[in-house]
Amino acid sequence: MADTVTTTPPTIAAQRQNRMIGIALMCAALFCFSCLDATAKWVNRSVDPMVTVWARYISAALLTFLVINPRTQPGALRTRRLPLQLLRSFLLFASTLCNFFALKYLQLVETQSIIFATPLLVALLAGPVLGERIGWQRVAAIGVGFIGILVITRPGLGTMHPAALLSLTGSVAYAFYNIVTRILASSDSIATTTLYSSVAGIVFVTPVLPWVWSTPSSPLVWFLLATTGFYGAFGHWLLVLAHARAPAAILAPFIYSQIVWMLVLGYVLFGDWPDSWTFVGAGIVIASGLYLLYRERVKPRKPDHSP
């Protein structure tokens, strides 16, 4: 009789490892995005936000093409799902545009607290788009989370700048962006997805640039504009890697780690400190997102053992 050895099924172990790596990559990406937002807010005091958006894309594209280009990687621009690539690129552009304009008027923590609606939207969209089951507990958590958004923005009370609506619009665009990123991870390479994001953003913003151009006032501003591309390119590279490792609904709640960096950067660079209602609303949204994460952990998906 042959000896038998009881081991953990490889599929379960591989899924767990992939999810942990995906979470680590997601957190690293969020640190880059915090630096990107802080830099954008700083330079927006000297140039039009549209110029900042253009600089973010042009510098990111140059950096990307140093590593990935059709000459060194033939077929890098060949995609199996061109409409989805264009949609993803536009969603990222729309989210960036809304966020950069909002940063001109809002504190870093205020914009980030509103963007915290993204994981809730991703969880809501994961059912109809990705085919993930959504129970009543998740629906309730999403509803409570949006109450937190209302606490932050306090519509009708005149306490929040109208630019908060731009942050909310950017959050919706970013949620769809996350969903489409997850879908593309199963069909197109990371190089292809990254190239399309960089090139499409330049195409979207360049036609309007002559109407809003303002020359940066110092070499420091030029340098900071260039670093937005680095933070954006490297952050989104990490984001694509993360979504290739783990489901969107698992990764999305970890966006909350960004609030720490936003608090620190906002206070050190701009002397900003949010009011108590912003903390209360952010706490409600974070609690809702963490509950969604808890539901994912207590109800893990079973691996597919079908041949």
Side-chain angles (χ1 to χ4, degrees), residues 52-66:
T52 308
V53 173
W54 175 81
R56 175 252 183 272
Y57 272 105
I58 195 71
S59 55
L62 292 174
L63 289 171
T64 300
F65 268 85
L66 290 176

Side-chain angles (χ1 to χ4, degrees), residues 42-245:
W42 183 276
V43 298
N44 280 350
R45 300 184 299 184
S46 302
V47 299
D48 189 278
M50 188 68 78
V51 175
T52 308
V53 173
W54 175 81
R56 175 252 183 272
Y57 272 105
I58 195 71
S59 55
L62 292 174
L63 289 171
T64 300
F65 268 85
L66 290 176
V67 181
I68 309 168
N69 60 75
R71 185 173 183 177
T72 58
Q73 297 190 33
L77 284 174
R78 189 179 302 120
T79 173
R80 299 177 185 176
R81 312 184 78 171
L82 179 59
L84 276 183
Q85 284 288 0
L86 296 177
L87 175 61
R88 177 186 181 274
S89 299
F90 176 77
L91 289 169
L92 176 58
F93 167 74
S95 176
T96 302
L97 184 65
C98 290
N99 188 46
F100 279 16
F101 269 93
L103 283 169
K104 187 175 180 68
Y105 306 101
L106 303 179
Q107 296 181 9
L108 289 174
V109 172
E110 288 174 339
T111 58
Q112 191 57 46
S113 297
I114 296 172
I115 292 175
F116 279 166
T118 299
L120 307 177
L121 292 167
V122 170
L124 188 62
L125 294 169
V129 180
L130 300 180
E132 299 178 4
R133 181 179 177 274
I134 301 179
W136 68 267
Q137 297 97 331
R138 291 178 70 182
V139 173
I142 292 168
V144 171
F146 282 114
I147 292 175
I149 295 297
L150 293 176
V151 172
I152 295 168
T153 58
R154 283 154 283 167
L157 298 181
T159 56
M160 181 67 72
H161 194 280
L165 292 176
L166 285 174
S167 284
L168 189 56
T169 302
S171 180
V172 174
Y174 195 61
F176 279 101
Y177 163 82
N178 274 274
I179 293 292
V180 177
T181 297
R182 175 60 179 167
I183 296 172
L184 284 171
S186 63
S187 61
D188 286 356
S189 68
I190 296 172
T192 298
T193 300
T194 303
L195 277 177
Y196 269 91
S197 297
S198 300
V199 174
I202 298 173
V203 173
F204 292 144
V205 73
T206 300
V208 300
L209 194 62
W211 304 99
V212 298
W213 177 260
S214 53
T215 303
S217 58
S218 69
L220 175 61
V221 176
W222 278 109
F223 172 76
L224 292 176
L225 285 170
T227 62
T228 61
F230 168 78
Y231 292 132
F234 190 55
H236 283 286
W237 176 268
L238 294 173
L239 189 66
V240 172
L241 288 174
H243 280 85
R245 294 278 189 169

Side-chain angles (χ1 to χ4, degrees), residues 260-272:
V260 176
W261 298 113
M262 289 299 206
L263 278 170
V264 172
L265 292 172
Y267 183 74
V268 171
L269 297 178
F270 309 104
D272 292 336

